[in-house]
């Protein structure tokens, strides 16, 4: 048994090392292929043109040009991003974009409201999942499509929607020319009468939220998602908490957990699928309970995740529409990676098909896969 665990550990370490080498090589390749800055770099090469079938955005009133609003996290974007975004819109025949920068105190809420009030054709969240969430929250049930330019560390929603990473201009082109599809969002309340919050990927109570809250930002800038691995290793050992879970109208179930995660979709970094089979448009909230008692149990958890098991060793996934979790003591909580303090109550409910999101159609995906476009600003971020 012990030998098996050691073999698993070695395999995982090799996997992580290969992953780091792969990421580093990819970044080097992208940088090497980038031309320098200056005049030539300021105008991205005109694309071959969108597939007419991909032009799903409704035409504006006669004579009017389409316009995008971009809610931009300036901390995450390359210095030339504004010029780059304007050039992409021009080449697509769209009006000058309305670019609104987020602030430390407001990661996107007021900016998305301003974008909606301006009557734009698409609202693009340019940043990490922490920017996408407040922007999407304002777009739910409006029918105005959400575009995503992933500039963060995790970019989990972009990964789940197969939006191109590390190529902001192409992600923006996807936001302009892509196809509109409806996806689910989930609502969360952190107290019985509490404010409604929207999340798009996962909300968590316990271990994972504690990891998010304790991740070193400076390290995150340097090594990306591996900073979460570092924080996670410091939090592995700890006591399980007693919680009661009520799925839909069923009887409450009492159990001990390290973490409870409610997921709208399941892909995370490194190609792992934390919630196998979970999709953004299946109308299902998948609830993962993680309940290891000790370090050895964590190997079972890892094996279950790697093995894509819905009911594994110290893990269990329950599909539902709504879950109410009540804990004996307060635990840390996170929504799409944003630490939201501590709570002893978390209610989560799926809201099917309530958000329109713009993703790459087949023709656009083919061009992105071909990867034969220039990288005008020498900028990669994935
Ligand atoms: Mg789902």
């Amino acid at each position: 048994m012990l030998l098996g665990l050691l073999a698993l550990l070695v395999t995982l370490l090799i996997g992580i090392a290969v992953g780091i080498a792969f990421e580093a090589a990819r970044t080097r390749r992208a940088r090497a292929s980038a031309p320098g800055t200056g005049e030539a770099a300021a105008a991205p090469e005109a694309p071959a043109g969108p597939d007419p079938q991909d032009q799903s955005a409704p035409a504006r009133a006669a004579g009017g040009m389409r316009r995008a609003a971009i809610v931009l996290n300036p901390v995450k974007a390359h210095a030339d991003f504004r010029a780059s975004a304007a050039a992409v819109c021009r080449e697509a025949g769209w009006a000058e974009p309305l670019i609104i920068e987020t602030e430390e105190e407001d990661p996107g809420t007021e900016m998305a409201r301003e974008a909606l009030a301006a009557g734009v054709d698409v609202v693009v969240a340019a940043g990490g999942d922490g920017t996408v969430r407040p922007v999407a929250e304002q777009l739910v049930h409006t029918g105005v499509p959400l575009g995503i330019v992933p500039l963060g560390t995790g970019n989990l929603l972009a990964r789940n929607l197969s939006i191109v990473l590390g190529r902001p201009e192409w992600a923006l082109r996807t936001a302009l020319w892509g196809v509109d599809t409806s996806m689910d969002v989930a609502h969360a309340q952190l107290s019985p009468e509490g404010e409604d919050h929207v999340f798009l990927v996962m909300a968590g109570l316990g271990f994972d939220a504690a990891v998010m809250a304790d991740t070193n930002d400076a390290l995150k800038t340097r090594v990306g998602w591996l900073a979460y691995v570092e924080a996670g290793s410091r939090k592995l050992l700890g006591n399980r908490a007693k919680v009661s879970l009520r799925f839909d109208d069923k009887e409450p179930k009492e159990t001990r957990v390290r973490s409870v995660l409610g997921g709208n979709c399941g892909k995370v970094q490194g190609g792992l699928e934390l919630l196998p089979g979970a999709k953004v448009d299946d109308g299902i909230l998948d609830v993962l309970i993680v309940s290891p008692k000790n370090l050895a149990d964590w190997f079972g958890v890892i094996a279950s995740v790697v093995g894509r098991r819905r009911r594994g060793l110290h893990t269990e996934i329950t599909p539902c529409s709504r879950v109410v979790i009540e804990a004996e003591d307060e635990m840390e909580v996170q929504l799409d990676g944003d630490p939201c303090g501590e709570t002893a109550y978390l209610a989560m409910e799926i809201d099917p098909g309530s958000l329109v999101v713009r993703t790459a159609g087949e023709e656009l995906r083919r061009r992105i896969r071909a990867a034969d476009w220039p990288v005008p600003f020498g900028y990669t971020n994935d």
Side-chain angles (χ1 to χ4, degrees), residues 184 264 279 282 284:
D184 313 333
N264 188 25
K279 301 235 170 354
D282 56 10
I284 293 170

Side-chain angles (χ1 to χ4, degrees), residues 308-328:
R308 304 180 80 250
R309 291 171 65 178
R310 287 186 67 90
R311 184 183 287 255
L313 292 167
H314 320 290
T315 66
E316 187 178 351
I317 297 172
T318 306
C320 66
S321 294
R322 176 178 166 83
V323 64
V324 178
I325 306 154
E326 288 179 88
E328 207 167 63

Side-chain angles (χ1 to χ4, degrees), residues 219-289:
L219 192 62
K220 207 163 101 172
T221 309
R222 272 209 333 272
V223 301
W225 59 270
L226 288 172
Y228 293 119
V229 176
E230 187 275 331
S233 67
R234 283 186 281 115
K235 298 271 173 189
L236 271 183
L237 297 175
N239 292 327
R240 300 189 304 172
K242 201 168 160 187
V243 298
S244 132
L245 296 117
R246 188 187 186 105
F247 294 104
D248 297 321
D249 296 327
K250 299 192 179 96
E251 283 299 305
K253 164 183 158 182
E254 292 217 336
T255 185
R256 284 185 181 275
V257 302
R258 282 301 309 281
S259 201
V260 184
L261 274 163
N264 188 25
C265 45
K267 281 186 198 159
V268 294
Q269 293 93 334
L272 283 180
E273 222 179 332
L274 203 52
L275 303 167
K279 301 235 170 354
V280 289
D281 58 357
D282 56 10
I284 293 170
L285 180 73
D286 282 287
V287 178
L288 168 66
I289 296 171

Side-chain angles (χ1 to χ4, degrees), residues 128-146:
D129 289 306
T131 307
V132 173
R133 195 179 70 77
V135 172
E137 192 166 61
Q138 299 305 312
L139 299 184
V140 169
H141 292 297
T142 65
V144 177
L146 168 75

